[in-house]
Amino acid sequence: MKQVLLTLIFSFLLLPFSLLAQEADSLESGIKKVYTFKIDDNIDPRMNRKVRLALEDAKDKKADLIIIEMDTYGGAVNDADDIRTMILEEKKPIHVWINKDAASAGALISIACDSIYMAPGASIGAATVVMGGGGDAAPDKYQSYMRSMMRSTAEAKGRDPKIAEAMVDEKLEVEGVSEKGTVITFSVSEAIANGFSEGQANSLEEVIAKQGIEDFELIEYKTSSAENIIAFFLNPAVSGFLILIIFAGIYFEIQTPGVGFPLAASIIAIVLYFIPYYLIGLAQNWEIAVFILGCILLLVEVFVLPGFGVFGILGIIGILTGLTLGMVPNDAFDFTFVPSGDLFAALLTVILAAVTAIGLIFFFAPKVNQWSAFSSIALASTQRRDEGYTSTSYGDDLMGKEGIAHTRLMPSGKIEIEGEVYDAYSRGEFIDKGEKVKIISTEGTSLKVKKG
């Protein structure tokens, strides 16, 4: 027993030396860890987040070098700038393999890498900043910003800054390379000849071989379960469904205050809606604040100042604005770099979800009392006269009389008939203060009315 114990202690003391020996063997074997990920979609907040996560994962996995597989037509300048900065600040070598296109923002990101390799038929350049719709060129202040980034990035990587700038500005002329009136876009051979590519490569493995690496472990970036869940909730159909729950939950909570379940469902839907867009940088703090303010104004209109007026209109506008802008990469109210299709899709998603919610509310609201599940939280049964139940002291002489709504009926409230005020409720419809009403039932503790 004593020998076993001494053996365990000795093994524990030798453990650090054993780990060092394993590390040394790994180094002597010459096996390099090559980390790779793709930039194969628009440069936007989603891609910005993906690149950041990929670089963090490469660091955690102790990669020796990183290779980006590039195929993009570009995207948002601010996100391209973020990605460019991350690449320039990375201590490990980063190479890019342009599989097909590195246009606009893709060209900027490629130039930030330590070396550029291009597949046969690939191209790089055409970095003029265009408006969100993809047509006209953006204002000169954005062009100037892009020119300066291209120039400084090229200088940092030992490439010709004038050529990089001419990829943005068609007014610049580079002798022997381009003429005025056209922006530079290089083919593979042209990029190699002008120092904007280190060579042609048919695959990632060929790029690795050109680094003099024979033995390597290729590690590909894979999205985590959390990122897959975020991507699921970013689906427009899912976002629309959450908006539907938000509106329906608010409505049913107003109809049955104190129940709690509709409000809880609405709050959960709000959280699930905004958090994914917030994490990828689309939903800003002020947009969420506008949505919350809209909800507050709507509640003030309903409970404090009945009568559909300024607060109600501003509340609805605030809710719709917060939900819509939370889905698009706008800079406050600057939509220069927001594709018009994205803005329209966001607005359409919100409006369709709201209209659908309203339709379902009017369809299901009268049927709620008939659901067996609802009977556990509300008295939904009818106490009939022929079963021995009697109504209150309201006389039959009130039946059919007309009056006006003394307060707003939502659907409960008060009505006024011949100078007397009575408790009343409608058949589910909202009746504004001052509207004519007609009594259709005197049973129960309140008069049942409809619009007169």
Side-chain angles (χ1 to χ4, degrees):
M1 181 67 182
K2 184 177 181 180
Q3 289 181 344
V4 173
L5 182 61
L6 289 174
T7 302
L8 290 173
I9 294 173
F10 185 70
S11 299
F12 178 77
L13 292 173
L14 288 179
L15 181 60
F17 298 99
S18 176
L19 294 174
L20 288 173
Q22 292 177 11
E23 185 69 21
D25 290 340
S26 176
L27 291 173
E28 289 176 3
S29 66
I31 297 176
K32 298 289 186 180
K33 290 184 177 180
V34 180
Y35 193 94
T36 179
F37 64 93
K38 295 181 180 181
I39 296 180
D40 56 356
D41 206 342
N42 290 333
I43 308 301
D44 57 15
R46 296 177 181 86
M47 187 59 70
N48 190 337
R49 177 178 172 82
K50 176 183 176 180
V51 173
R52 177 169 57 81
L53 293 175
L55 293 178
E56 290 174 357
D57 189 45
K59 184 177 181 180
D60 293 339
K61 290 183 167 57
K62 301 185 184 302
D64 294 296
L65 73 154
I66 301 167
I67 299 178
I68 301 172
E69 184 175 344
M70 175 78 68
D71 182 12
T72 180
Y73 290 111
V77 175
N78 55 336
D79 290 300
D81 186 21
D82 289 344
I83 295 172
R84 172 193 78 114
T85 303
M86 285 188 279
I87 292 174
L88 290 173
E89 293 177 349
E90 177 59 44
K91 296 179 180 179
K92 295 293 183 180
I94 298 183
H95 311 285
V96 62
W97 177 48
I98 302 174
N99 191 11
K100 188 176 180 182
D101 294 296
S104 190
L108 174 65
I109 295 169
S110 297
I111 295 171
C113 296
D114 295 297
S115 62
I116 302 172
Y117 294 91
M118 302 172 70
S123 62
I124 180 173
T128 301
V129 185
V130 297
M131 302 291 282
D136 299 333
D140 187 63
K141 66 176 182 178
Y142 299 110
Q143 306 295 353
S144 176
Y145 180 53
M146 188 66 169
R147 287 196 301 268
S148 67
M149 284 196 297
M150 292 287 285
R151 186 171 58 248
S152 62
T153 305
E155 288 177 350
K157 294 301 178 180
R159 308 187 191 279
D160 190 332
K162 192 171 183 180
I163 291 177
E165 191 173 357
M167 288 183 175
V168 181
D169 192 350
E170 62 182 14
K171 298 176 183 178
L172 292 179
E173 180 180 359
V174 181
E175 186 176 352
V177 179
S178 69
E179 298 179 354
K180 287 185 178 181
T182 59
V183 293
I184 292 177
T185 301
F186 283 146
S187 64
V188 179
S189 59
E190 291 170 338
I192 294 172
N194 290 280
F196 277 76
S197 176
E198 275 62 42
Q200 180 174 299
N202 294 292
S203 64
L204 283 173
E205 288 73 17
E206 192 170 334
V207 174
I208 297 170
K210 288 180 180 292
Q211 308 308 311
I213 300 173
E214 295 181 359
D215 296 326
F216 62 90
E217 176 189 357
L218 189 62
I219 305 171
E220 296 184 17
Y221 171 75
K222 294 181 180 178
T223 55
S224 64
S225 299
E227 292 302 310
N228 289 330
I229 293 173
I230 290 173
F232 172 77
F233 283 103
L234 291 174
N235 186 303
V238 177
S239 296
F241 179 72
L242 291 173
I243 294 171
L244 188 153
I245 295 177
I246 292 171
F247 280 103
I250 292 173
Y251 172 82
F252 283 111
E253 183 62 29
I254 292 174
Q255 290 290 85
T256 56
V259 172
F261 172 74
L263 180 61
S266 184
I267 291 174
I268 292 172
I270 291 170
V271 172
L272 293 177
Y273 178 85
F274 277 111
I275 283 184
Y277 288 108
Y278 183 82
L279 288 175
I280 66 171
L282 288 179
Q284 302 298 318
N285 291 329
W286 73 270
E287 293 168 344
I288 299 175
V290 167
F291 171 82
I292 294 173
L293 179 62
C295 292
I296 293 173
L297 290 175
L298 189 60
L299 292 175
V300 168
E301 177 68 30
V302 172
F303 292 109
V304 181
L305 302 171
F308 196 83
V310 176
F311 285 95
I313 295 173
L314 291 178
I316 292 174
I317 291 175
I319 291 173
L320 295 179
T321 299
L323 291 172
T324 302
L325 296 187
M327 299 175 70
V328 296
N330 57 298
D331 182 11
F333 289 98
D334 183 358
F335 299 93
T336 303
F337 300 112
V338 179
S340 56
D342 289 359
L343 182 60
F344 176 76
L347 184 60
L348 186 64
T349 298
V350 173
I351 291 176
L352 284 180
V355 171
T356 302
I358 293 171
L360 291 176
I361 285 170
F362 280 100
F363 178 77
F364 284 110
K367 303 178 182 295
V368 170
N369 287 342
Q370 302 173 16
W371 296 349
S372 58
F374 191 76
S375 62
S376 62
I377 57 175
L379 180 61
S381 59
T382 301
Q383 298 175 334
R384 301 171 54 133
R385 190 187 297 271
D386 57 10
E387 293 176 351
Y389 295 102
T390 59
S391 63
T392 59
S393 58
Y394 288 123
D396 291 336
D397 58 319
L398 288 174
M399 178 66 75
K401 285 197 173 184
E402 296 183 349
I404 60 171
H406 187 69
T407 65
R408 193 180 188 196
L409 275 66
M410 306 180 300
S412 300
K414 295 183 180 295
I415 63 171
E416 181 180 343
I417 299 176
E418 298 176 354
E420 295 290 332
V421 177
Y422 300 89
D423 291 326
Y425 66 98
S426 68
R427 297 176 297 180
E429 59 186 340
F430 283 5
I431 300 176
D432 283 331
K433 179 180 179 181
E435 286 194 71
K436 290 183 178 181
V437 294
K438 183 177 182 179
I439 298 175
I440 57 176
S441 175
T442 59
E443 294 185 356
T445 58
S446 298
L447 300 171
K448 187 175 183 180
V449 300
K450 67 175 184 178
K451 285 186 179 182

